[in-house]
Amino acid sequence: ISESVGGIFGQFRNSFNHGEKPVYTDFHISDSNINSNGRYVGGISGLGDGSYCSINNVNVTGGNYVGGFAGYQRGTYQYGNTIKDSEISGLDYYIGGLYGNAGYVYDSFAENIKVYGLNVNTYGVGGISGYNGVVQRCGVIDSVISNAGERTGGITGYTSGHHVYHSFIRNSTVTSYDKAGGIVGQVHSG
């Protein structure tokens, strides 16, 4: 099983970053297919942090931690990422339009995307992220978020006491076998 698969980077780490600034900026990818049966699969990076990047007409398929931008975003502040006309699908958990797992996401948007959880055991599927920390000023437009499993949301599928602020979903469909929400599929606190 492969791990950390991305359209530009498999894994991008910077030990000097300390979570304050994105590691990379201004990358753009289009007309591509990124496929893996493993975890940490993304359109730009499997595992990594970046801002002001765009994804257009990209298909990303993976096992868990799958995102149009990154499969696993490690917790730095991400700004201004966009995805358009793309399809993201995963078999296990944390599948998102931009991120499978996200730390802090700001001013990022998904338009005309399809995000699919393909298995009845899949959980955490969302238009921006499958699982999130903080999401603020983000939007999902003209999109389909569908999960054969549970915890599915227009913005995020699952959050554990974190927050979604000033974000929206417009002209989009969210479907799930269980625990579906227009903004968040399930909030776990405690």
Side-chain angles (χ1 to χ4, degrees):
I1 294 177
S2 57
E3 183 172 301
S4 298
V5 176
I8 296 175
F9 307 110
Q11 186 177 112
F12 197 106
R13 291 185 180 216
N14 180 348
S15 61
F16 302 104
N17 192 29
H18 303 295
E20 296 174 8
K21 296 179 182 174
V23 175
Y24 51 84
T25 59
D26 297 313
F27 280 94
H28 311 281
I29 188 168
S30 63
D31 305 315
S32 299
N33 293 302
I34 296 92
N35 299 299
S36 171
N37 58 354
R39 64 182 181 165
Y40 310 134
V41 183
I44 291 189
S45 67
L47 177 67
D49 307 316
S51 286
Y52 307 107
C53 297
S54 65
I55 299 100
N56 188 39
N57 193 32
V58 172
N59 294 312
V60 180
T61 303
N64 55 33
Y65 296 108
V66 182
F69 175 83
Y72 194 94
Q73 184 257 334
R74 297 178 304 119
T76 61
Y77 298 89
Q78 313 291 298
Y79 295 92
N81 293 312
T82 60
I83 185 168
K84 188 174 181 181
D85 302 327
S86 297
E87 185 172 308
I88 299 87
S89 58
L91 292 169
D92 206 349
Y93 54 89
Y94 304 143
I95 319 302
L98 281 169
Y99 307 98
N101 181 87
Y104 301 89
V105 182
Y106 300 93
D107 306 313
S108 295
F109 298 91
E111 183 177 353
N112 191 35
I113 64 166
K114 295 177 175 79
V115 183
Y116 297 116
L118 301 174
N119 178 324
V120 294
N121 296 316
T122 301
Y123 63 89
V125 176
I128 297 292
S129 62
Y131 179 86
N132 80 281
V134 174
V135 174
Q136 188 166 349
R137 298 181 308 270
C138 293
V140 175
I141 305 163
D142 299 329
S143 297
V144 174
I145 299 93
S146 180
N147 187 5
E150 63 177 41
R151 302 178 198 165
T152 308
I155 298 292
T156 190
Y158 183 64
T159 184
S160 182
H162 298 292
H163 307 285
V164 175
Y165 299 102
H166 310 290
S167 296
F168 67 91
I169 178 172
R170 181 183 313 139
N171 196 32
S172 298
T173 304
V174 177
T175 59
S176 184
Y177 176 75
D178 193 22
K179 299 180 183 89
I183 300 293
V184 179
Q186 182 180 12
V187 176
H188 180 266
S189 60

